[in-house]
Amino acid sequence: MTATTGTTRRPRPGIDLHVLGPILALLVLVIVGASLNSNFLSAANITNVLSRSAFIGIIAVGMTFVITSGGLDLSVGSMAAFIAGLMILVMNGLLPTMGPGWPLVFVGMLTAIVAGTAAGFVNGFLITSMRIEAFIVTLGTMGIYRSLVTWLADGGTLSLDFGMRAVIRPIYFEGLLGISWPILVFALVAIVGEIVMRRAAFGRHAAAVGSNDQVARYSSVNVNRVRMLTYVFLGILVGVATIMYVPRLGSASSSTGVLWELEAIAAVIIGGTMLKGGFGRVWGTVIGVLILSLIDNILNLTDGVSPYLNGAIQGVIIVLAVILQRERKAEG
Amino acid sequence: MTATTGTTRRPRPGIDLHVLGPILALLVLVIVGASLNSNFLSAANITNVLSRSAFIGIIAVGMTFVITSGGLDLSVGSMAAFIAGLMILVMNGLLPTMGPGWPLVFVGMLTAIVAGTAAGFVNGFLITSMRIEAFIVTLGTMGIYRSLVTWLADGGTLSLDFGMRAVIRPIYFEGLLGISWPILVFALVAIVGEIVMRRAAFGRHAAAVGSNDQVARYSSVNVNRVRMLTYVFLGILVGVATIMYVPRLGSASSSTGVLWELEAIAAVIIGGTMLKGGFGRVWGTVIGVLILSLIDNILNLTDGVSPYLNGAIQGVIIVLAVILQRERKAEG
Amino acid sequence: MTAALSLAGICRSFGPVQVLGDVDIALAPGRVHALIGENGAGKSTTMKIMSGYLAPTRGTVSLNGEPVIFAGSQDAEGRGVVLIHQEFNLADQLTVEQNIFLGHEKRRGPFLDKAAMQAESRALLERLNCRVSPRATVRDISNADKQMVEIAKALSREARVLIMDEPTAVLTEREAEVLFEQVERLKAEGVAVLFTSHKLDEVARISDDLTILRDGRVVSQGLTAGFDQDGMAEAMVGRDVSSLYPERRGAIGPGTALEVRGLTVPGHATDVSFSLRKGEILGLSGLIGSGRTETMEGLVGLRSATGEVRIGGKPVSLKSPKQAQAAGLCYLTEDRKSRGLLLDKGMRENLTLQCLPQFTDWLIDTAAEEAALTKAIAEFDIRAPSRGVAVGNLSGGNQQKLLIAKVMLADPDTVIIDEPTRGIDIGTKQQIYEFIHALARAGKSIIVISSEMQEVIGLADRILVMRTGRIAGEVSGVEMTEDRIVRLAMGLGARREEAA
Amino acid sequence: AQDTRVIGVSIPAATHGWAGGMNFHAQEAIDRLEEVYPELDFVLATASDPGKQVNDIEDMVATRDIAALVVLPFESEPLTGPVKAVADSGTWVTVVDRGLAQEGIEDLYVAGDNTGFGRVSGEYMVSALPEGGKIVALRGIPTTIDNERVAGFEAAIEGSGIEIIDMEHGNWNRDDSFTVMQDFLSKHGEIDAVWASDDDMAIGVLAALEQSGRDDVQFVLGGAGMKEMIGRVRDGDTMIPADVTYPPAMIATAIELTAIGLTSTAPVSGTFTIGSVLITQENAEEYYYPDSPF
Ligand SMILES: Nc1ncnc2c1ncn2[C@@H]1O[C@H](COP(=O)(O)OP(=O)(O)OP(=O)(O)O)[C@@H](O)[C@H]1O
Ligand SMILES: Nc1ncnc2c1ncn2[C@@H]1O[C@H](COP(=O)(O)OP(=O)(O)OP(=O)(O)O)[C@@H](O)[C@H]1O
Ligand SMILES: [Mg+2]
Ligand SMILES: [Mg+2]
């Protein structure tokens, strides 16, 4: 990887200039947005953008650990769809017996977390114990969850019972002190993630495993356990993201969470984590997520560009955001 | 990098047992297919399967080199769609002046090859000279080409003039001595690829770069040049694949070549090439491609399974195919 | 007194090849035991078996007299048996401190106690008086520092038995001294120490007991005092190697092979000028980190550098090693593991990588490659368990030999050899020195970078001494004494002399 | 047995709400007809892109020697050639919804009318906003279908004083339309109505509206006839005063007609257009199918 050409250029957390890369890109976007549309910085719009980012954001934090430890997970999008479907089915199923209300919501949440844990465990097991390329494993599970949800929904859409929707709705739309729950949860996950990455042994071990798993093994780090845990945590976070997602529209279908995996991975890399593993930073990922959802937002707030070209603009900005970063790196 | 931990488990072409993995998986599929439907082994069906494998196949051969040298290309699918669109536009545009006929077909072919070369060069340039993660670069260009074709087609479909279709049709549907052109071209590309990988300096250098680019550099291998070439070759092969594709459907749209990149990469890895780079084998890729398109074919041979579950079955088989292989490897 | 750790009748095979046969060794607490032998004799394998990285095929390992079967290196380490690998065993992207405490992080509650770990790392490194900062990333520090970090890592593990596989291979005498002080300290604390080295003077100096391996068998064992260096060497190699450095025969040619003016490698070397005559052997000495490697890497285009270079009188601009090679100039790296060889590939692929075109007329001539390999194996006496073995499984020294063979295959007119005999046994050293002289006699020019003062003096016609990236001076003929060189290297009362 | 004849059904995969409904009706029809006609055998294949759909059709011909093909083309252009080849080989061909790019290939054409769909929607807009107004529109996945619908809509509101102040792709997807609508609401202070052009997108739009608490938006017009939406029309929801059908069940009609065509002598060839109907509170009841997942 070009990143390791023996020169002394490398990201040193918090120190060198390339840290500025993502932040700069974000700032540029904010400025552009503000100059294009006066409502861009309105509380409403900011709340919208942040709340929307929460799903990908929460997942991307987990993805940061997976990638840092040298792994990859393409299945998160379909996994989210599948878990959402499951959650809805369970809640609809228990509605007659339990009736609409918070107890049932908690059952739903539990379902999501348990399913997420299990899904993460399956990925982790196939990758660590069966020693299969993470890419293949998660490509496989991606297809599996996607078609399972299609099957559960009979090709259509699984919708949460209306009565229940009213109960669960606040989880996405309400909040604390004017900050909506998704934003709060995202913030919490990000902060905890950042601390774990920098201040807990697990973060170090993940980086060590990603940097050189043999060395980690010789240094009595339980490599398989670390790898497994990264996938399980990711699974749990997918569950959490789903808990935020279901209340929004109260439905899940085969088109739920399509391409979330690519967005999450892109966010992680834009944030400065190395795809080959060995170095990761959660705060960078958060910025990456914000960059991605700001692009969408800005494109919607501006006319002029043919909507057909949105994808192209997105692509260009993603690449630019990373160039910016690499350039800085070169100097640092 | 697990690749360099000096354990004796490393694939040595032709020697150890894990070579059997993909072949075995393929055989199993053939047997299953034959037992499910008597027409499975009919000339017609075999021709169908092989011809349609050609697109992914030709691309996957190029992808093998990219991955072997430690790279990745997510843009091939959109690239194919874009090139197809371009090719059609050019041919339609020149139709009035040149009239339908082989000269125009050749112009179309030329367009495809030139566009492919350029696209590959762009990817290569951003990755080698700008030192950006291949994943990000090609994720970006993926979005760009996809929306460019949508834009060219104005959201709809670009279709080749019907007069012209009749002329160009034979490129996909006819052949030599009863073997259709796509099959012949695929075979040719695969054979050349295999020879280059095993017997030409370029193949060696690609593997060296993927195994440890520092060592390659110190051994006066021009690392950037090798990397660049792998992307350019891939681009050219995408062009070739498009030349086979356009005669088949005579049209291109935003839904052309969707997910080809994943199929191609999956084929490469199923074939036993290491995603981390350092070792690749073209013949394995060919088998991987056949496995993938056989799965589709077999799923069409039988009713019973809900079509919603196709994706799941596919996923399971892909993972199994690789497990088979890994198991062998463990012994070898 | 019961042995802290002992092997009895240990055998080990890799596939069909047996590399150890009936090895018995006993390590006593508070004593230093030296294990020496040729490259490929089985030293590292023995040490790996002692520390749980490898399981013996036969035989018993006993800890404090009790037979044990280590579940793995963790288990062994848990019981106080620690191995410092011959090859670096550090995670590149992590910092020094992170590496030292990897797997044994200090915690305060759920969190890491970074302050404590930083402090302790600093203390450990201080003890080894190594200047590298605990915050530095391992990828950026020098080999010597990496070695010191490895040692610090081992020291941090409260070892009862400390096993060091060629710890001094990348160290100069000065740093080796520091290490030996630590060894003395551990000895005093009753730690049993086993180490191996190809520098027999060290062995003679610091070890109490000695075991000599040849072809995986113990050929001689006893108190070190009972051996003199020539005796050791002879027991190891099986022939007389007392005259290590060959007589300088054949005069230096008249023509200038290489002329360097004002070579500057940003951050590493400034205004380096020297010239090299045909058939001359130029030594390049200096302390670790003096920038010798970087200077030469700049010269051959591996690092961005400025300055003018003339080869055979003609000015050339070398932007890449490929160009340098085309101009007849090759550099042999000091870092065989991460810059020299593809560890997951076979010997053939590695040997021919640098000059594949020689073997290619539109297709690679595998037969010719095999022939070249056969020749190299014979010429450099590479001991491999099998031709197909991944070079990662070659013994350290044999990797080094393969690396030299690889570069020599390019048949350069001028070759820069960085640490040519690092990790090479005395017998082979002799062969390599012979080989270098043969090159010189054939009119080729050689630059030898070495941290072994004796080696430079023994080999070179003329020695340049570098200090913090500059040429501190030049010595030749009778001036070539350790004292003179060290003074220049450390900048003690050395008038800045212009390089010829 | 040899006298059983096979009908191949090739449709796009359930990648969005309407397609999902269509998939459901196809399966439901097949299960039902297999009971009714023991001498008929059905093969259902769903494709994620035109290429895959052509593969499916090739496989049906090569390995299942189908007597009839019912195809809902993913896209007209790419399917025209291959379907023509099937028709030329003497197989009965029924085309559903989108016509092929060439006339007269199929034996039976059960046509949906996308332009009509757009037109009916447009006409309703005009009637609902007599003195004109500012509306935003959400488009589907960029395809010919979507283009036709929008063209029909724009033609219908031509000169009515209704202005489409903004248009973005919601991809027939609830999440995307939710996002787009949120941004429309931040961007435009005054929106009189929304043409969601699809019931899935309407759901996203409604969620965004509900959250914003804006009252300037008078109503949302969806389309396709999702049961949930028809229900709300029936119950007189002021935000959903109407809906425009584009019944996914047309695939069932096509399969059934084809079955009849194969098994009886009743004439079924020709074109059979399923127009888009405006559903209002009056006629909502008769379009409400409680058991459909769509
Ligand atoms: N994993 C392995 N697979 C096959 N052969 C091996 C493996 N590890 C070591 N060998 C062989 O065992 C023999 C002894 O290796 P070892 O590393 O112990 O030698 P050594 O005494 O350490 O040599 P050196 O002084 O060069 O380090 C060598 O021939 C080596 O090729
Ligand atoms: N103790 C140190 N602290 C910080 N940086 C160091 C230290 N030692 C070396 N370096 C840096 O690492 C670079 C590489 O060191 P290295 O030891 O390779 O230099 P060298 O002159 O080639 O010595 P040798 O050839 O013996 O390794 C040095 O040029 C210097 O910039
Ligand atoms: Mg050794
Ligand atoms: Mg050096």
Side-chain angles (χ1 to χ4, degrees):
Chain A
M1 354 151 215
T2 28
T4 65
T5 37
T7 59
T8 47
R9 304 188 192 122
R10 57 160 295 284
R12 217 169 287 100
I15 300 173
D16 74 29
L17 271 160
H18 108 284
V19 169
L20 289 179
I23 301 177
L24 221 66
L26 185 61
L27 281 181
V28 173
L29 276 177
V30 171
I31 293 165
V32 170
S35 62
L36 282 173
N37 188 308
S38 51
N39 300 329
F40 177 73
L41 291 177
S42 67
N45 190 50
I46 291 176
T47 306
N48 287 346
V49 173
L50 290 179
S51 318
R52 285 183 220 150
S53 326
F55 313 137
I56 302 281
I58 293 169
I59 294 174
V61 170
M63 188 68 80
T64 310
F65 285 87
V66 169
I67 291 180
T68 301
S69 67
L72 190 72
D73 192 338
L74 297 173
S75 69
V76 287
S78 336
M79 198 191 286
F82 175 64
I83 296 177
L86 214 58
M87 194 172 157
I88 290 172
L89 282 181
V90 168
M91 286 197 284
N92 286 349
L94 291 178
L95 191 57
T97 52
M98 294 181 64
W102 284 99
L104 186 48
V105 173
F106 287 123
V107 173
M109 292 182 170
L110 197 68
T111 319
I113 300 298
V114 171
T117 317
F121 179 85
V122 171
N123 281 341
F125 173 79
L126 287 167
I127 292 163
T128 56
S129 308
M130 308 296 289
R131 306 195 332 281
I132 315 176
E133 292 271 17
F135 188 96
I136 281 291
V137 169
T138 55
L139 186 67
T141 46
M142 170 182 173
I144 294 173
Y145 296 130
R146 180 64 60 195
S147 59
L148 280 181
V149 70
T150 320
W151 179 68
L152 288 179
D154 249 327
T157 307
L158 289 163
S159 307
L160 188 56
D161 175 280
F162 263 107
M164 202 50 208
R165 254 186 243 186
V167 182
I168 206 172
R169 207 175 160 285
I171 296 179
Y172 183 85
F173 291 98
E174 318 265 295
L176 210 61
L177 325 157
I179 307 169
S180 75
W181 288 117
I183 304 180
L184 291 171
V185 174
F186 179 21
L188 184 72
V189 169
I191 291 165
V192 172
E194 177 69 16
I195 291 174
V196 171
M197 182 64 89
R198 281 172 174 256
R199 306 286 325 280
F202 180 71
R204 268 188 193 196
H205 290 171
V209 170
S211 168
N212 183 336
D213 60 348
Q214 197 66 5
V215 169
R217 192 170 290 112
Y218 285 176
S219 311
S220 55
V221 171
N222 185 337
V223 173
N224 277 355
R225 189 169 148 280
V226 172
R227 286 226 172 93
M228 171 62 89
L229 279 179
T230 58
Y231 287 99
V232 172
F233 286 158
L234 178 53
I236 294 175
L237 287 175
V238 172
V240 174
T242 315
I243 293 176
M244 302 282 118
Y245 171 83
V246 169
R248 188 168 85 176
L249 298 179
S251 65
S253 75
S254 57
S255 59
T256 301
V258 170
L259 292 187
W260 280 11
E261 54 280 352
L262 287 188
E263 271 191 60
I265 296 172
V268 171
I269 296 173
I270 291 174
T273 298
M274 291 183 187
L275 186 61
K276 299 272 175 184
F279 172 80
R281 50 184 190 195
V282 173
W283 67 263
T285 300
V286 173
I287 292 191
V289 171
L290 295 181
I291 290 179
L292 288 181
S293 45
L294 273 188
I295 297 176
D296 280 341
N297 182 241
I298 291 175
L299 286 172
N300 284 340
L301 290 183
T302 51
D303 338 82
V305 244
S306 152
Y308 298 140
L309 290 177
N310 285 0
I313 295 166
Q314 246 168 19
V316 171
I317 295 180
I318 291 177
V319 173
L320 283 181
V322 179
I323 289 186
L324 209 58
Q325 181 172 161
R326 289 295 181 272
E327 293 307 331
R328 289 279 165 291
K329 204 170 187 173
E331 297 161 17
Chain B
M1 327 146 266
T2 26
T4 64
T5 48
T7 57
T8 39
R9 292 199 201 108
R10 60 171 276 282
R12 225 168 285 105
I15 298 174
D16 72 30
L17 271 160
H18 107 285
V19 168
L20 288 180
I23 301 178
L24 222 66
L26 185 62
L27 281 181
V28 173
L29 277 177
V30 171
I31 293 166
V32 171
S35 61
L36 282 173
N37 186 309
S38 52
N39 300 328
F40 176 73
L41 292 175
S42 67
N45 190 50
I46 291 175
T47 306
N48 284 345
V49 174
L50 290 179
S51 318
R52 72 175 71 132
S53 322
F55 313 131
I56 302 283
I58 293 169
I59 293 174
V61 170
M63 189 68 80
T64 312
F65 284 88
V66 169
I67 292 180
T68 301
S69 66
L72 191 72
D73 192 338
L74 296 173
S75 68
V76 287
S78 334
M79 199 191 286
F82 176 63
I83 296 176
L86 213 60
M87 192 172 158
I88 290 172
L89 280 181
V90 168
M91 288 197 284
N92 286 350
L94 291 178
L95 191 57
T97 52
M98 294 180 64
W102 284 99
L104 186 47
V105 174
F106 288 121
V107 173
M109 291 182 171
L110 197 68
T111 319
I113 300 298
V114 172
T117 316
F121 180 85
V122 170
N123 281 341
F125 173 79
L126 287 167
I127 292 164
T128 56
S129 308
M130 311 292 315
R131 309 193 334 280
I132 316 176
E133 291 270 17
F135 188 96
I136 281 291
V137 169
T138 55
L139 186 67
T141 47
M142 170 181 175
I144 294 173
Y145 296 131
R146 181 64 61 197
S147 60
L148 279 181
V149 71
T150 319
W151 178 70
L152 287 178
D154 211 344
T157 311
L158 286 163
S159 48
L160 188 56
D161 174 279
F162 270 92
M164 202 50 209
R165 274 192 215 189
V167 182
I168 205 171
R169 211 172 162 289
I171 295 179
Y172 182 84
F173 292 94
E174 318 263 298
L176 211 61
L177 325 158
I179 308 170
S180 75
W181 287 117
I183 303 180
L184 292 172
V185 174
F186 179 20
L188 185 71
V189 169
I191 291 166
V192 172
E194 176 70 15
I195 291 174
V196 172
M197 181 64 88
R198 278 175 177 250
R199 302 290 316 282
F202 180 70
R204 267 303 164 76
H205 286 162
V209 169
S211 166
N212 182 336
D213 61 348
Q214 275 298 65
V215 173
R217 235 175 105 248
Y218 276 71
S219 311
S220 44
V221 172
N222 186 336
V223 174
N224 278 354
R225 186 167 152 283
V226 172
R227 286 225 172 93
M228 171 62 87
L229 279 179
T230 59
Y231 288 98
V232 171
F233 286 158
L234 178 52
I236 294 175
L237 287 175
V238 172
V240 174
T242 315
I243 294 176
M244 302 281 119
Y245 176 86
V246 168
R248 186 183 189 202
L249 301 184
S251 72
S253 75
S254 55
S255 57
T256 303
V258 169
L259 292 188
W260 281 11
E261 54 279 355
L262 287 187
E263 270 192 62
I265 297 171
V268 170
I269 296 172
I270 291 174
T273 297
M274 292 182 188
L275 188 61
K276 298 263 173 198
F279 172 79
R281 52 184 188 196
V282 172
W283 69 263
T285 300
V286 173
I287 293 190
V289 172
L290 295 181
I291 290 179
L292 289 181
S293 45
L294 272 188
I295 297 176
D296 278 342
N297 183 243
I298 290 176
L299 288 171
N300 281 339
L301 295 182
T302 55
D303 10 57
V305 259
S306 151
Y308 298 141
L309 290 178
N310 287 359
I313 296 167
Q314 242 167 20
V316 171
I317 295 181
I318 291 177
V319 173
L320 284 181
V322 178
I323 288 185
L324 208 59
Q325 180 173 159
R326 290 293 179 276
E327 293 306 331
R328 289 280 167 293
K329 202 169 184 173
E331 298 161 16
Chain C
M1 170 175 65
T2 64
L5 182 69
S6 63
L7 300 182
I10 290 292
C11 301
R12 169 75 203 199
S13 315
F14 293 102
V17 231
Q18 185 178 35
V19 300
L20 288 183
D22 296 317
V23 173
D24 306 335
I25 299 180
L27 308 185
R31 287 176 72 84
V32 177
H33 195 122
L35 175 65
I36 61 173
E38 284 180 290
N39 297 126
K43 303 181 293 296
S44 298
T45 308
T46 309
M47 293 178 153
K48 286 179 187 161
I49 288 172
M50 284 181 156
S51 49
Y53 287 89
L54 284 176
T57 320
R58 248 188 306 106
T60 51
V61 183
S62 327
L63 195 57
N64 306 320
E66 304 295 316
V68 287
I69 293 169
F70 292 127
S73 54
Q74 280 101 312
D75 182 17
E77 214 171 276
R79 300 162 186 255
V81 183
V82 177
L83 170 68
I84 298 177
H85 284 258
Q86 174 173 17
E87 308 294 356
F88 292 130
N89 198 34
L90 301 169
D92 273 346
Q93 284 129 319
L94 272 58
T95 66
V96 168
E97 171 243 337
Q98 287 171 332
N99 267 288
I100 290 179
F101 284 94
L102 185 56
H104 299 71
E105 290 80 5
K106 292 191 181 306
R107 302 181 195 197
R108 210 189 315 102
F111 299 126
L112 294 170
D113 189 345
K114 284 196 173 180
M117 288 191 284
Q118 293 276 357
E120 188 161 333
S121 323
R122 198 169 283 106
L124 284 165
L125 292 167
E126 222 115 77
R127 243 160 65 185
L128 300 164
N129 51 22
C130 165
R131 314 184 328 285
V132 70
S133 142
R135 282 212 173 70
T137 308
V138 164
R139 188 195 293 135
D140 303 340
I141 67 176
S142 69
N143 289 327
D145 293 327
K146 286 181 186 167
Q147 185 62 59
M148 286 305 185
V149 172
E150 288 267 18
I151 295 164
K153 186 175 173 181
L155 293 180
S156 75
R157 299 282 201 267
E158 288 94 27
R160 295 312 303 152
V161 178
L162 177 61
I163 303 174
M164 301 185 285
D165 195 348
E166 300 193 27
T168 57
V170 298
L171 303 182
T172 56
E173 286 83 350
R174 225 166 94 267
E175 287 139 324
E177 275 319 316
V178 181
L179 172 60
F180 295 148
E181 286 162 23
Q182 296 306 315
V183 171
E184 288 303 332
R185 198 179 51 74
L186 292 170
K187 207 171 133 179
E189 292 170 6
V191 175
V193 179
L194 173 69
F195 89 108
T196 178
S197 169
H198 291 295
K199 302 174 183 173
L200 299 180
D201 51 339
E202 296 174 355
V203 174
R205 263 202 37 238
I206 68 157
S207 71
D208 310 305
D209 311 306
L210 180 68
T211 299
I212 303 180
L213 278 182
R214 193 194 306 164
D215 302 331
R217 301 187 170 275
V218 176
V219 290
S220 172
Q221 208 163 32
L223 295 176
T224 313
F227 296 82
D228 69 350
Q229 290 187 39
D230 292 346
M232 294 182 201
E234 205 160 337
M236 273 169 58
V237 185
R239 60 185 154 80
D240 170 41
V241 285
S242 48
S243 60
L244 191 52
Y245 301 99
E247 271 309 303
R248 188 78 171 94
R249 277 175 262 95
I252 300 169
T256 308
L258 174 69
E259 178 117 32
V260 177
R261 287 265 158 271
L263 181 74
T264 298
V265 182
H268 295 294
T270 349
D271 187 24
V272 173
S273 306
F274 65 89
S275 70
L276 179 65
R277 313 242 301 282
K278 285 206 173 66
E280 182 181 32
I281 302 176
L282 175 65
L284 189 53
S285 189
L287 304 179
I288 298 287
S290 54
R292 297 161 296 171
T293 296
E294 290 67 22
T295 309
M296 292 305 151
E297 287 181 349
L299 177 58
V300 297
L302 279 161
R303 294 173 181 266
S304 51
T306 58
E308 79 184 73
V309 179
R310 297 170 172 278
I311 291 180
K314 278 187 255 55
V316 290
S317 121
L318 307 177
K319 292 273 156 282
S320 76
K322 203 178 169 79
Q323 290 173 349
Q325 185 173 339
L329 176 61
C330 277
Y331 168 75
L332 193 157
T333 177
E334 66 184 337
D335 184 352
R336 61 171 170 253
K337 195 145 191 178
S338 60
R339 294 178 185 182
L341 299 169
L342 299 171
L343 300 176
D344 58 341
K345 298 262 173 248
M347 291 194 286
R348 177 167 57 86
E349 289 90 333
N350 274 285
L351 181 67
T352 58
L353 182 59
Q354 184 141 6
C355 42
L356 213 43
Q358 280 180 32
F359 297 87
T360 315
D361 51 9
W362 95 269
L363 279 189
I364 297 174
D365 179 351
T366 329
E369 281 186 292
E370 288 294 352
L373 178 56
T374 315
K375 187 157 160 294
I377 289 177
E379 185 170 8
F380 294 91
D381 166 42
I382 299 169
R383 311 260 178 92
S386 74
R387 279 177 84 97
V389 68
V391 302
N393 295 336
L394 286 180
S395 80
N398 284 301
Q399 288 176 5
Q400 185 68 24
K401 296 184 207 167
L402 181 63
L403 179 57
I404 298 178
K406 168 187 167 186
V407 173
M408 286 313 158
L409 201 56
D411 187 29
D413 303 325
T414 304
V415 60
I416 303 162
I417 311 180
D418 201 346
E419 308 293 355
T421 60
R422 180 172 285 173
I424 286 206
D425 70 58
I426 184 154
T428 318
K429 260 185 195 167
Q430 197 184 31
Q431 296 168 346
I432 290 177
Y433 297 150
E434 230 339 296
F435 176 79
I436 291 176
H437 275 265
L439 282 179
R441 279 198 299 277
K444 317 262 180 200
S445 318
I446 301 101
I447 300 178
V448 175
I449 304 176
S450 175
S451 305
E452 272 183 70
M453 209 72 70
Q454 276 313 326
E455 189 166 87
V456 198
I457 296 171
L459 275 177
D461 306 311
R462 185 158 62 95
I463 300 176
L464 294 177
V465 183
M466 282 191 73
R467 177 162 169 278
T468 62
R470 295 177 171 278
I471 301 282
E474 170 182 340
V475 292
S476 54
V478 290
E479 271 194 316
M480 297 201 293
T481 63
E482 289 212 21
D483 169 68
R484 187 89 178 75
I485 295 172
V486 170
R487 292 178 69 81
L488 283 169
M490 304 181 66
L492 302 174
R495 292 158 285 97
R496 181 102 169 63
E497 306 165 44
E498 258 327 304
Chain D
Q2 19 293 75
D3 61 349
T4 61
R5 307 172 69 191
V6 183
I7 297 181
V9 181
S10 168
I11 56 177
T15 51
H16 53 87
W18 187 86
M22 191 261 303
N23 273 257
F24 168 83
H25 286 291
Q27 291 217 300
E28 180 269 345
I30 287 174
D31 298 346
R32 189 159 43 78
L33 294 172
E34 269 178 336
E35 301 298 317
V36 182
Y37 302 100
E39 72 273 33
L40 286 184
D41 209 350
F42 293 85
V43 197
L44 175 63
T46 66
S48 48
D49 65 86
K52 171 78 164 61
Q53 189 169 27
V54 173
N55 296 352
D56 294 341
I57 295 174
E58 282 178 354
D59 288 345
M60 288 175 183
V61 173
T63 64
R64 313 297 296 269
D65 48 37
I66 50 173
L69 171 68
V70 180
V71 56
L72 196 162
F74 201 107
E75 281 167 9
S76 307
E77 292 291 345
L79 268 296
T80 303
V83 174
K84 187 172 190 303
V86 177
D88 296 346
S89 71
T91 309
W92 174 286
V93 170
T94 304
V95 175
V96 192
D97 187 13
R98 297 149 221 183
L100 296 173
Q102 274 176 322
E103 294 296 317
I105 293 174
E106 65 278 352
D107 303 85
L108 169 62
Y109 178 22
V110 178
D113 179 1
N114 284 301
T115 319
F117 174 91
R119 192 184 57 250
V120 174
S121 311
E123 286 161 0
Y124 177 81
M125 271 293 168
V126 175
S127 66
L129 298 171
E131 66 291 339
K134 291 177 159 39
I135 67 168
V136 293
L138 285 89
R139 308 188 54 157
I141 296 169
T143 47
T144 324
I145 310 164
D146 182 61
N147 293 353
E148 288 172 5
R149 292 183 172 185
V150 172
F153 183 81
E154 284 173 329
I157 62 172
E158 190 63 53
S160 66
I162 296 177
E163 180 198 359
I164 303 178
I165 54 174
D166 216 331
M167 191 140 54
E168 280 285 349
H169 286 273
N171 307 321
W172 294 321
N173 174 309
R174 299 182 181 192
D175 297 303
D176 296 1
S177 61
F178 176 81
T179 307
V180 170
M181 192 59 204
Q182 274 192 328
D183 291 345
F184 278 170
L185 287 166
S186 335
K187 185 175 171 186
H188 304 289
E190 178 62 38
I191 302 174
D192 297 315
V194 182
W195 183 46
S197 80
D198 173 84
D199 289 337
D200 267 303
M201 293 204 281
I203 289 176
V205 169
L206 288 168
L209 281 172
E210 187 176 0
Q211 175 205 20
S212 72
R214 290 251 299 251
D215 51 10
D216 51 332
V217 180
Q218 300 166 27
F219 65 90
V220 176
L221 179 61
M226 180 188 299
K227 87 176 171 216
E228 187 179 333
M229 283 299 158
I230 296 181
R232 293 174 74 159
V233 173
R234 182 192 54 194
D235 307 341
D237 183 328
T238 52
M239 280 312 277
I240 310 291
D243 199 4
V244 179
T245 61
Y246 198 83
M250 68 174 68
I251 187 71
T253 319
I255 297 172
E256 186 137 22
L257 285 174
T258 310
I260 294 169
L262 278 198
T263 51
S264 77
T265 55
V268 290
S269 45
T271 300
F272 183 102
T273 307
I274 297 180
S276 290
V277 186
L278 179 71
I279 301 178
T280 56
Q281 191 165 9
E282 290 69 50
N283 61 352
E285 193 53 55
E286 66 219 54
Y287 290 93
Y288 187 73
Y289 310 107
D291 57 349
S292 159
F294 175 71

